[in-house]
Amino acid sequence: MPGLNTSAWQSYVLGPQTADVHPVQAEGRGEVTHPQSLLKSHGPATTLTTKAGGTPASVLLDFGKEVGGTPYLDLTRVTGSPTLTLVTAEARQYIRTPASTTVSAAAATGATQITLASAANLETGNSITFTPATGEPVTRTITAFDVTARTVAVKPALPADLATGTAVATSPGAPSSDESRGLAGVGGPDTFQPTGPGRLTGGFHGGFRFALLTVSSPGSVSLSSAGLDFQAFRATPADYQGWFLSSEDDLNRMWYSGAYTLQLNLKAPGLNGLPDARIYDGAKRDRSIWTGDLLVQIPTLLTSLGNAGAAYVKSSLDVLLATQRADGAFPGSPDFSKRTSPVGSPLFYSNNYSGYGARAFIDYFRYTGDKTYLIAALPALRKELAYNDTFLSADNLVVSNDRDYWQATQTGEVTKYSIDYYILLKEMSWLERSVGSAALADTDDAKAEAIKAAVTSKLWNPQLGAYGQSSAKADVLVEDANALALQYGFVPEGKEAGVLAAMKTLWTPYGAIMGPGLQDPTGHTIEPFANGMETAGRFAVGDTTGALDLMKRTWGPMIDKKNPLYTGAFWEFKNSTGGVNRATASLAHGWAASPSVQLTEQLLGVEPVGAGYQSWSIAPHPGSVRWASGAVPTAYGAIKTEWTSDSRSGRFALTVQAPEHTTGTITVPVGRTSVVTINGRVLKDIGPEAKSSGGYVTLTVPGGTYRITVS
C-alpha cells in the first residue's frame, strides 16, 4: 500500500496541465495535407483545400477527453475566399448529421438533379442513397445542392425512375453541433471568413471532445496550430485537497472522473457574461444550476477541491436564495434557458426539487461548517419547509402529482416523494439542533417519524417484497424509492435481503433501469442519478459487493477509453443498450458523480457527523477491495486514512490521522475470535470508549493518530 503521503494518486488526475490544450488525434477528409502537425504545433503546415463540386476539406480534432473553453486556429496562409466552419461535439457520432428526407418530385431515369422535401444536412461529396419502396437502393455522390430550391445534383445519373416519397439518406452527413444554445446561451457553429494569416478565435463551447474544422466554400487555408483556451476549472494535483486511491484501478478512475466532471461543471466568475461563480448541471447542457444535481455535486466538490469548491457552492446557493418564491418554493433551476440572457430565468420544476434546494444548503453547512451563512439562510429554509408541508395529506403521505428527475408526472401517493420529504425533515432537524431551535427540531422529527410509519403501513407491497411506485401503481417495482428505503431505514426489519434481491431484477449489463416500463421523455431507462441512490442504499445495509458490482456496471463503461461515448467524465443517462438517444445528451453531468463521494465515504469510510467535520465517522466497507487510502479536507485540517483488508484471514489494519479540536468514531470489522489493538494496546484494555456490536467494534476518540489492527 502506498501510504498516507503517497503521490501515486496524481497520475489519475484528468485536468489539463496547462490552459493551452491541443488535440491528441487529427483526421483529414478531402484534400488535406499534414493533419498530424496540429497535434504538436510544429512541422509542415496543415493545409485544407476545397474545390468547387468537390468534397469540402475538413479536419476532425480529437482532444481525447472532455474540454471546455474557446477554440483557436493559427492561420499562416489563405488562398481565395474560403469560409471556415467549426463545430464541436462530446461524441464523434454527433459531429455530423446525415440527411434524412424524401424525394418531393418524381425524377426520371438519367436525371442528375432531384428535388427533395428538405435540404437540411446536405454536403457536397457525401454519398446519397435513394431507397424506393420496391427495388434496390441507388447510391450516388452529391456534387452540388441548393438549399432554397431544395434540389441536389448527383453523379452519375440515375439508372431508374424515382417516385415521389422515395426515402433519401446521406453519409457521413454534414457538420453539426450537439450543443443546445437555447438552453446554455453559448455554443453553436463558429463561422469565419479569413482574409490572411493570423489567429481566429471561436466562441465559448462549454463541453466537447471533438472539433470539426471544415473549409465549406472553395479556397484554401494553411494552419500552424489549433487548440483550445481551457476555461473550465483546471485542477492540477496541487489543487486537490482530497484524494482517493485503492487496489482497484477502475474504482480509482471512477473517483477522478467524478471529480473531473464537477470541474467541467464549474463556471468561473466573469465567464459567459455573469460576474459570479456557478455550478452548472452539465458542461454542455443545460449549463444551469439544478437543485437535484447539487445533492451529488456539493459533497463531490467539497471532498475533492475543498475550499476552492466551497466558493462555487456558496455563490450558487446565493442564486437560489435570490429566486425563492414568496410562498417559500425554491426553483428547480434558478437560471434556466439562457437564449435571451446569460442570467436565464427561474424554473419552478416541482415541490421535490424545491426540497432538494433546501437540502443543498444543509449539505454545504455539513461539509464546511459555515455557521454564519446558514444562520442567515435559516429563515428561507424554514419557509421552504412550510411550502413542502402543504403537499402532505391527512394520511401523512406526500401527494403532489408532479415530476422528479426523470421528468414524468407521477400521481397518487408516490413512495419516493414521501421518503424525500422525510429526508428533508430529518436534515432540517439536524440543522435546527446545530444552529436553530431544538423545539422545531423535535417537531420536524415527529413529523418525519409519522411519514415513515405511513409509508411503511400503506405503500409496502408484500407481493413485491419491496415498495411499489405509488398508491396508484402499487405493483410497479421502482429503483429509487427502494434504494432510499434501504438507506434511511424504511424497510421492515428482516426484509432487507428481499429488497436487495428485488432491486437486482432491474439490473442490466449497463446499470439498473428505473423500473419496468419507466423511461424519460427521450427513452432513457437507466439514470445514474438513481443508480447512485441504489449504491448508497446497498452500502447502508452492508451489501458492499452489490454496491461495487452495480457501480462497475453503470460507470465502468463511462471510464472505458474504448467506449465511443468516452469523455473522461460521467454521463447524464443511458438507454437500454448503454448508449444515449439524442445528440444533446450531456456526457459530463454532475448528478452522475456519486461514485466519487461514495468511495470516499463508504469504501474509504470517512463521513462528516458534525458541521465541518467537527465530529466525524470513519467506518470502512472494504468488501473484496484489498486496500484503500485517501484524504478528506475539513474545516479543521485534512483527515487522512488508509486500510488493508484480507477477507480470507480476517486481518484488517487501519491508520487514521484526524485533526486536533475534532472528535470522531472509528469502526472496524471483527470476527468472533478477533484480537483488536489500538496503538499497540489490546481492545479489552481500552475501557468504555470502545463498543462492540453486530460484527463491528466502534471506538470514540479525539483527533489524533490511530493505528488499529484486527487479527
Side-chain angles (χ1 to χ4, degrees), residues 48-57 78-84 124 143 193-194 214-221:
L48 295 81
T49 303
T50 295
K51 297 175 181 176
T55 298
V78 177
T79 303
S81 302
T83 299
L84 273 70
T124 302
T143 58
Q193 302 284 346
T214 304
V215 178
S216 55
S217 67
S220 177
V221 297

Side-chain angles (χ1 to χ4, degrees), residues 464-483:
L464 289 177
Y467 284 103
Q469 182 180 357
S470 65
S471 58
K473 295 184 177 180
D475 59 343
V476 177
L477 176 70
V478 286
E479 179 191 27
D480 52 17
N482 285 288

Side-chain angles (χ1 to χ4, degrees), residues 93-94 508 510-511 513 519-520 522-528 565 571 573-582:
Q93 68 195 60
Y94 295 123
T508 76
Y510 314 105
I513 63 171
Q519 61 182 30
D520 74 8
T522 51
H524 297 103
T525 58
I526 299 170
E527 301 278 347
L565 297 178
W571 314 339
F573 35 52
K574 296 184 190 181
N575 58 27
S576 58
T577 59
V580 295
N581 289 347
R582 59 178 181 176

Side-chain angles (χ1 to χ4, degrees), residues 288-291 320 323 331-337 345-349 353:
S288 297
I289 300 166
W290 274 94
T291 59
L320 272 180
T323 51
S333 172
D335 57 351
F336 188 68
S337 189
S345 57
L347 173 63
F348 290 89
Y349 181 76
Y353 265 68

Side-chain angles (χ1 to χ4, degrees), residues 262 265 279-281 290 293-301 590:
L262 263 295
N265 293 167
I279 307 175
Y280 285 154
D281 60 333
W290 274 94
D293 300 63
L294 289 177
L295 295 185
V296 177
Q297 291 174 312
I298 290 173
T300 303
L301 190 57

Side-chain angles (χ1 to χ4, degrees), residues 451-612:
I451 291 172
K452 179 180 280 190
V455 169
T456 305
S457 64
K458 185 167 183 180
L459 299 175
W460 175 262
N461 185 328
Q463 284 71 44
L464 289 177
Y467 284 103
Q469 182 180 357
S470 65
S471 58
K473 295 184 177 180
D475 59 343
V476 177
L477 176 70
V478 286
E479 179 191 27
D480 52 17
N482 285 288
L484 295 176
L486 288 168
Q487 188 177 0
Y488 291 95
F490 277 72
V491 176
E493 187 175 357
K495 302 291 186 182
E496 292 86 356
V499 173
L500 292 171
M503 293 174 68
K504 203 163 186 177
T505 66
L506 303 177
W507 285 17
T508 76
Y510 314 105
I513 63 171
M514 293 182 287
L518 304 182
Q519 61 182 30
D520 74 8
T522 51
H524 297 103
T525 58
I526 299 170
E527 301 278 347
F529 186 52
N531 280 202
M533 297 177 202
E534 181 171 345
T535 51
R538 289 182 178 274
F539 275 125
V541 296
D543 183 22
T544 300
T545 299
L548 295 180
D549 186 351
L550 180 57
M551 201 175 276
K552 292 177 181 182
R553 288 169 183 258
T554 305
W555 288 274
M558 301 187 203
I559 60 169
D560 180 1
K561 292 184 178 181
K562 296 179 181 178
N563 191 301
L565 297 178
Y566 174 81
T567 60
F570 287 148
W571 314 339
E572 183 179 13
F573 35 52
K574 296 184 190 181
N575 58 27
S576 58
T577 59
V580 295
N581 289 347
R582 59 178 181 176
T584 56
S586 172
L587 301 183
H589 215 73
W591 78 0
S594 56
S596 298
V597 69
Q598 288 181 18
L599 289 171
T600 292
E601 297 189 345
Q602 303 302 323
L603 189 73
L604 189 61
V606 183
E607 289 189 273
V609 176

Side-chain angles (χ1 to χ4, degrees), residues 1 616 618-620 641-645 650-657 664-670 674-683 686 689-690 696-701 704-711:
M1 187 170 63
W616 38 263
I618 296 177
T641 185
E642 62 179 5
W643 53 256
T644 59
S645 176
R651 292 180 179 274
F652 185 84
L654 171 68
T655 299
V656 172
Q657 291 179 358
T665 58
I666 301 174
T667 301
V668 294
V670 296
S674 295
V675 175
V676 181
T677 67
I678 299 99
N679 290 345
R681 297 169 60 197
V682 178
L683 177 64
I686 300 300
E689 65 267 31
Y696 291 90
V697 165
T698 299
L699 186 71
T700 301
V701 297
T705 299
Y706 300 92
R707 294 177 178 85
I708 301 173
T709 64
V710 179
S711 58

